Amino acid sequence: MPNIAVWAIFLLPFLSFLIIGLILRPFFNNRPMLSAYTTIIAIAGSLILSIWALIAVNGAENHVLTDVSYQWLSIGDLVINIGITMDSLAAIMVVTVSTISLLVQIYSIGYMKGDGGFARYFAFMSLFTGSMLGLVMANNLLFLFLFWEGVGLCSYLLIGFWFHKPSAARAAMKAFLVTRIGDFGFLVAVIFLYVKTGTFDIGELHELALAGVLGGTTLTLAAIGIFSGAVGKSGQFPLHTWLPDAMEGPTPVSALIHAATMVTAGVYLIARMFPMIASSETAITVVAIIGGFTAIFAASMGLVATDIKRVLAFSTISQLGYMMLGMGAVGMGYASGAIDEHHAMALGVAVAIFHLFTHAFFKALLFLGSGSVSHATGTFDMRKMGGLRKIQPWTYATFLIGSLSLAGIWPLAGFWSKEGILHEANAYAPVLFWLAMITVFMTAFYMFRAVFLTFHGEYRGGEEGSHGHGLHESPKIIIIPLVILAVFAVIAGWLPVGDFLGADVHFSFFGALTSWLAWVSLIFGFAGILLAYAIYGRKLLSAESIGKSLGPIYTLLIRKYFIDELYERIFLMRFLVDGVFVVLGWIDAHIVDGAVNGVAMVTMTGGKVMRRLETGQLQVYGLAIFVGILAIVAFLFMFN
Amino acid sequence: MDLYLLSPEISLLATALAVILLDLFVKEKWILGWVSVTGVIVSAIFALSLWGRVETSFGGALAVDQFSIFFSLLFLGIAALILISSTEYSRKFAAFRAEYYALVLLATTGMMLLASTRELISIFVALELTGISLYVLAGFLKDAKSSEAGLKYLLLGAVASAVLLYGMALVYGLTGTTYLDEIAAAISSQGILGSPALLMGIVLLVAGFGFKIAAVPFQMWVPDVYEGAPTPVTAYLSVASKAAGFAVILRIFYEALGPASLDWGMIFAVLAAITMTIGNIVALTQKNIKRMLAYSSIAQAGYIMIGLAAFTAEASSAIMFFLACYALTNLGAFIAIIAISNKINSDEIADYSGMVRRAPLFALALALCLISLTGIPPTAGFMAKIYIFSAGVNADLLWLVIIAVINSVISAYYYLRVVRVMFLGEPLSEERVHASSGLRIALAITCLGVLLLGIYPWILMKYSEIAAITFLP
């Protein structure tokens, strides 16, 4: 596969962004569909090239197709390269990202129809996809960071797409600021690593870390700094607060953010940096603990959320926690000497990325499904839905498949990837394993709570004022992506992703059911489904009375452990949102203006004096030349 | 003697003469502009074909090397952009269009010779060819301000030439030769180093060339001439004339006076500090955008002189890179100003209020160029400053770089003030500003160049690095 084709994978969406931004939007604004077609063609091109790359990587030596760097600039000793790598990890990621993105773009044609910002929407979506594709291919940290910020910027633009809505503008700001906290740690770590090692190259950093040249506190600090970036992007505790609010963007954007382009960047970063991070026992233990804790913590908030998209958002945070836990557990096994280096490096990446891969499909499916539901009812509030099973059979069927897959029911995709993580957690981090098991129960419960509330029972009226257009199944352009994603939500787990990433994973369709671990997790999963059925399907138990009897806990969950309040009312958000504005305002008023005015005052006075020297008279100018010469001569002789 | 080595200069000279002759026969005068541009392109093709050759001719007086080709291409690029953006402006002197184009071409020829001669007398002749063409161009408009500008420039230029010639005479008297390489050899071998006469010669050369590059205290002509001259000529003066000055300084000081670098390095360092500080401070109070850019160009010369003081191959490369970035940026700014001023008939900054609503593209382009002049990424100006500052630090001139950084911060005030006026002010009228396609093309080229060099500077840096080492020890 030629190098140029590999570069084209992420350059095509950028090209599409430029075409829309520079040509289509200014000159063909009355033909908005052109923008959608441009985006879809570009991303379809990326997808085809990604699949080509995947096949080529499979045939390449050591599963590394290409790893090239070009000098971008060199000033003195500072040499900055740009370069990409196409190995098995990058190949899996580009295929996942471009597949999900393509389906989301097709769906968006239907969903965004008639929106005034149609062309702008597709321009941002192209940029978003291109940035994410570049991120997973970059082979040095600085170049990666560039795309990392690009992804952050696009998420800001898209979450705040309907910027005239105050809640959207606020959510976008929140996402931007909260992730910026993590990014700051990441950037500091990148610079710190460069100062210590003199390189930004990821491969070289791994070699240094594995050889022990880079180690001790230096490595731990750098690894935790990088992880803080991942915590922000992937919505891990304690920087998870932005993700539920990010629902304010258009639903396809949420699907893309949750499944492919934004939150997965954090998990990808840890996977890409895994050899380095796993070399520090402290850092990888932190990854495991944060991951395991976030999994159960976010799932518990999902139990009570009433907005279907928020349920899904908490679910995403929780599932990303699983992925972190998987890598953390393998890393802890490596640190304790239980797994040898070669096996551990492949295994850690494999368990996390396999789950990322399957999760991408069923989570995109669930989000797009919730969008389809809202298309009919005009709301995302599950309390106003119900009974949609008969009206939207396709949406219902696909949503059900997605939920079963997420709940980890055999033989759907989620089962296989979750098993991998649980297996490693059981082996190397037993406490976290039991937290993860409880999370399995919670996951099944909240997903089926959503299914029963939304699709079963009687219709509860939808959004006020939206009765006019009547309930209907969504158009084909929306249903087709759902069906495609549903197929993947079933079969994605059967694909040999783990083997491709270098870990020996033995896939056995029925053999998987012979392990006790599988049965325990299936029992937990079914227990969750049954409980949801009992409460919301059959109404055998009253949700209200349970809520009342668990009063304080219920309040704690519905208020999201008061963390938003903690951040907003007490320190962080106030400091961040208000504080930043106050500080900026103060700096602007006193320091910038003050200094500039001060400087300007002093210098303007000086300037006026000097301007007076410039009288416009020729003789004075001529004289000045000679005075200048004399001054220089005097200066020289004074010094010699 | 290989005449092909002179082909870029010869073809340009021929074009200049052809334009004047054609003027007698051609009715459609706009053709002359495009003939000139074609001549520039042909000359550039000749110059490109010479890239990689390192040869001397005319008994060693002429050198064709990467250094001279780099500068020749820079001058040709500037000339092309100036010619393209003059097509509309030149209506103001419709009867003398041919002479205008020919003079621009002649001045460019002189600059190209300046960058490639290695002998004092030839350098002086080339300098005068450039100078005289520019004196005429500065006074090309028939109004009082322009005439005043032309006359002032001529008289002060004559003073500077005299000073320069005196300095050259001293150097010749001490070393007995006018060839740069022989001067260097004589200085190191004959024990002239440190003699007061040589110092005096150096000071006079600094003063003479300081006039060309507008270094303080030889800058006084700049604001008056820049304000009075036709705007395209001002643009040309501010970039090409300055670049030519630096080219010849690099040749003479780096090659011939290299052994005496301790003496002149200090002079340039101090002048750099004074030049950038005075340029920036006086710029703060300007209300006329052309005068503001005049002082800004003085300040920019100060930054570039850091490279002269450093006297390393890296610094020389940084100067060339800076000059190219500065040329693109400043030309872009002036082209935008030509477009806007043509319409509103004013150069007052206050009249640019709300320009973004009357001429969104021009306002955006001007803002980009001003941001680049300030030195904010991702623009060429940022990369240029980083490069030259880092060369300064590597040459142990940290104190000078600190002054330069402080100056950059001060400069943000007056550059960004214009941006603020254009973007936040209320438009004075609803009338849209339109401009000829020539201006649009020239502006697009400069703005794309500013962004390209800001994002991928290596594309040019690798050539400036090669050009920088052609004559360094």
Side-chain angles (χ1 to χ4, degrees), chain B residues 9-364:
Chain B
E9 287 86 352
I10 292 174
S11 60
L12 206 58
L13 189 65
T15 312
L17 299 177
V19 166
I20 293 175
L21 279 178
L22 274 177
D23 184 37
L24 302 176
F25 309 110
V26 176
K27 288 256 165 50
E28 302 283 331
K29 302 294 183 198
W30 57 267
I31 292 174
L32 301 174
W34 295 105
V35 169
S36 312
V37 174
T38 313
V40 169
I41 292 170
V42 169
S43 172
I45 291 169
F46 279 125
L48 275 175
S49 75
L50 289 169
W51 177 263
R53 288 172 76 164
V54 181
E55 287 174 43
T56 56
S57 187
F58 292 94
L62 182 85
V64 170
D65 49 29
Q66 279 94 337
F67 179 85
S68 66
I69 303 292
F70 184 94
F71 272 104
S72 294
L73 288 171
L74 179 61
F75 299 140
L76 288 168
I78 296 169
L81 287 170
I82 292 291
L83 290 169
I84 295 174
S85 48
S86 300
T87 46
E88 190 178 315
Y89 194 93
S90 59
R91 295 218 182 98
K92 294 195 179 188
F93 35 77
F96 302 100
R97 259 193 225 184
E99 286 79 357
Y100 173 84
Y101 293 133
L103 283 167
V104 171
L105 295 173
L106 285 174
T108 309
T109 313
M111 291 172 188
M112 288 163 67
L113 284 171
L114 261 184
S116 44
T117 43
R118 303 173 58 244
E119 193 267 330
L120 291 180
I121 302 299
S122 316
I123 288 176
F124 188 76
V125 172
L127 200 67
E128 289 304 289
L129 174 57
T130 312
I132 292 169
S133 314
L134 292 177
Y135 303 149
V136 181
L137 282 172
F140 219 76
L141 289 179
K142 292 285 170 280
D143 61 17
K145 266 193 171 175
S146 178
S147 309
E148 184 191 333
L151 192 64
K152 272 186 180 163
Y153 193 27
L154 166 69
L155 290 173
L156 292 171
V159 173
S161 290
V163 169
L164 190 67
L165 206 53
Y166 193 18
M168 285 178 172
L170 276 175
V171 171
Y172 171 71
L174 285 168
T175 60
T177 173
T178 56
Y179 288 87
L180 300 187
D181 50 343
E182 291 173 17
I183 292 174
I187 289 178
S188 6
S189 65
Q190 293 175 16
I192 324 170
L193 204 58
S195 78
L198 181 66
L199 270 185
M200 198 61 217
I202 288 174
V203 172
L204 293 172
L205 288 177
V206 170
F209 290 125
F211 177 85
K212 275 270 154 212
I213 61 171
V216 175
F218 316 109
Q219 90 298 1
M220 292 227 167
W221 58 278
V222 170
D224 293 348
V225 174
Y226 279 23
E227 191 187 349
T231 312
V233 175
T234 307
Y236 189 62
L237 275 176
S238 73
V239 293
S241 175
K242 199 176 288 269
F246 277 103
V248 68
I249 290 178
L250 280 173
R251 270 274 185 222
I252 292 191
F253 283 80
Y254 272 46
E255 189 168 9
L257 301 173
S261 65
L262 276 182
D263 295 322
W264 55 260
M266 197 60 198
I267 300 178
F268 278 124
V270 173
L271 287 188
I274 299 174
T275 302
M276 62 179 90
T277 309
I278 290 195
N280 277 321
I281 288 178
V282 184
L284 287 174
T285 58
Q286 300 305 318
K287 297 188 172 58
N288 179 303
I289 197 160
K290 276 167 82 178
R291 279 187 89 88
M292 186 203 90
L293 282 175
Y295 285 105
S296 135
S297 84
I298 293 171
Q300 300 283 340
Y303 302 136
I304 307 175
M305 285 161 73
I306 297 174
L308 292 181
F311 186 53
T312 58
E314 188 193 5
S316 167
S317 163
I319 290 178
M320 286 183 238
F321 181 75
F322 196 114
L323 284 170
C325 293
Y326 167 74
L328 276 173
T329 309
N330 226 34
L331 275 180
F334 269 109
I335 292 167
I337 289 170
I338 293 171
I340 295 172
S341 297
N342 257 356
K343 192 75 193 174
I344 65 174
N345 277 321
S346 162
D347 292 326
E348 296 302 312
I349 294 171
D351 293 337
Y352 280 62
S353 179
M355 197 47 74
V356 70
R357 279 186 252 171
R358 299 175 63 187
L361 283 178
F362 290 118
L364 211 61

Side-chain angles (χ1 to χ4, degrees), chain A residues 71-76 596 599 603-604 607 610-611 614 616 618 621-622 624-626 628-629 632-633 635-636 640, chain B residues 152 155-156 159 163 199 203 207 217-220 223-224 267 270 281 284-286 295 386 390 413 455-456 458:
Chain A
Q71 186 168 321
W72 177 53
L73 78 137
S74 98
I75 294 175
V596 166
V599 168
T603 47
M604 278 194 188
M610 266 177 280
R611 205 159 60 161
E614 306 237 339
L618 208 51
Y621 292 0
I625 292 179
F626 290 103
I629 292 170
I632 295 173
V633 171
F635 166 82
L636 269 184
N640 285 16
Chain B
K152 272 186 180 163
L155 290 173
L156 292 171
V159 173
V163 169
L199 270 185
V203 172
F218 316 109
Q219 90 298 1
M220 292 227 167
D224 293 348
I267 300 178
V270 173
I281 288 178
L284 287 174
T285 58
Q286 300 305 318
Y295 285 105
I386 290 280
S390 110
Y413 180 76
I455 292 165
Y456 188 58
W458 192 237

Side-chain angles (χ1 to χ4, degrees), chain A residues 210-227:
Chain A
L210 290 176
V213 180
L214 178 66
T217 324
T218 308
L219 177 64
T220 302
L221 286 177
I224 289 181
I226 290 176
F227 181 57

Side-chain angles (χ1 to χ4, degrees), chain A residues 537-607:
Chain A
R538 271 297 157 97
K539 306 257 191 317
L540 295 174
L541 302 164
S542 155
E544 284 77 29
S545 62
I546 297 173
K548 270 191 197 116
S549 63
L550 293 173
I553 298 178
Y554 180 79
T555 312
L556 197 62
L557 293 179
I558 200 91
R559 301 298 291 272
K560 297 178 275 177
Y561 296 93
F562 292 99
I563 287 184
D564 273 296
E565 282 81 355
L566 185 75
Y567 287 178
E568 284 183 29
R569 302 242 166 84
I570 303 182
F571 62 104
L572 204 58
M573 281 310 281
R574 158 156 296 187
F575 181 73
L576 273 175
V577 176
D578 300 343
V580 164
F581 288 133
V582 170
V583 170
L584 283 182
W586 189 85
I587 289 177
D588 193 47
H590 290 87
I591 301 191
V592 177
D593 274 10
V596 166
N597 288 344
V599 168
M601 267 264 266
V602 174
T603 47
M604 278 194 188
T605 321

